Amino acid sequence: MNISVDFTATNVEEGIGYWLRRAQQTVLHDFSETFVPYDLRPAEFSLLMLLANHPGIKQSDAAEILGIQRANFVALVDALQQRGLAERRKPESDRRVQSLFLTRQGTDFVVETSGKWRQHESRMIARLGGIEERDQLVELLTRLAC
């Protein structure tokens, strides 16, 4: 069987996936450099911020919002729990559900690290050219993701 593929039709540098990956690498590199002193990964920070804004959120809902598979999410919560930053609680109304909360230490940690996150975001917004460009990018990425 002879398959002919025309590789001249599209250059990889013109592909959406190529530039999304390059942008992701840039953002993750800056995030990692910013949060080295805190030993914090982006998924951990995202979960901590989610818990700060939605205390008592069901574990399954948090995983869905963050787009993290259940098995990976359990390990993520375990890691934050071991660090004393988050805790699981079973509500009296439904003992089958796991609700997630920041601990006092977790709340202090979010307060301390949120300033670093704002600095990181400001650098990324500046690279884009400003707030309007950030908003445009978020709108386009939302369309692509949904």
Side-chain angles (χ1 to χ4, degrees):
M1 181 174 190
N2 190 3
I3 299 175
S4 176
V5 179
D6 181 7
F7 288 107
T8 62
T10 304
N11 191 342
V12 71
E13 290 91 3
E14 296 171 0
I16 294 169
Y18 174 81
W19 287 108
L20 282 173
R21 181 66 181 147
R22 293 288 306 268
Q24 179 188 31
Q25 289 171 330
T26 299
V27 172
L28 290 177
H29 176 74
D30 189 85
F31 182 94
S32 296
E33 291 292 315
T34 302
F35 286 92
V36 162
Y38 302 101
D39 189 28
L40 194 64
R41 298 178 324 202
E44 293 169 331
F45 183 76
S46 294
L47 178 55
L48 290 171
M49 292 300 286
L50 183 65
L51 298 183
N53 290 303
H54 302 281
I57 190 170
K58 291 192 309 187
Q59 185 167 300
S60 58
D61 290 345
E64 184 176 337
I65 288 168
L66 296 176
I68 300 173
Q69 293 180 350
R70 188 179 190 290
N72 296 336
F73 191 78
V74 169
L76 176 63
V77 175
D78 287 347
L80 292 177
Q81 206 166 6
Q82 288 170 359
R83 290 179 67 174
L85 301 175
E87 63 185 0
R88 293 176 176 100
R89 296 184 203 158
K90 292 185 183 229
E92 291 298 322
S93 60
D94 187 351
R95 305 290 292 159
R96 299 168 294 169
V97 173
Q98 293 276 2
S99 295
L100 301 174
F101 295 87
L102 291 176
T103 62
R104 180 70 192 145
Q105 181 181 346
T107 300
D108 293 344
F109 189 80
V110 167
V111 168
E112 181 180 347
T113 57
S114 61
K116 292 290 186 183
W117 180 78
R118 281 191 294 279
Q119 292 171 7
H120 159 72
E121 279 291 298
S122 292
R123 284 191 298 275
M124 298 302 100
I125 291 169
R127 286 184 72 132
L128 289 170
I131 296 292
E132 288 179 17
E133 287 80 358
R134 187 266 329 256
D135 292 347
Q136 181 182 13
L137 177 62
V138 169
E139 179 185 335
L140 293 170
L141 291 172
T142 301
R143 268 194 250 163
L144 190 59
C146 298

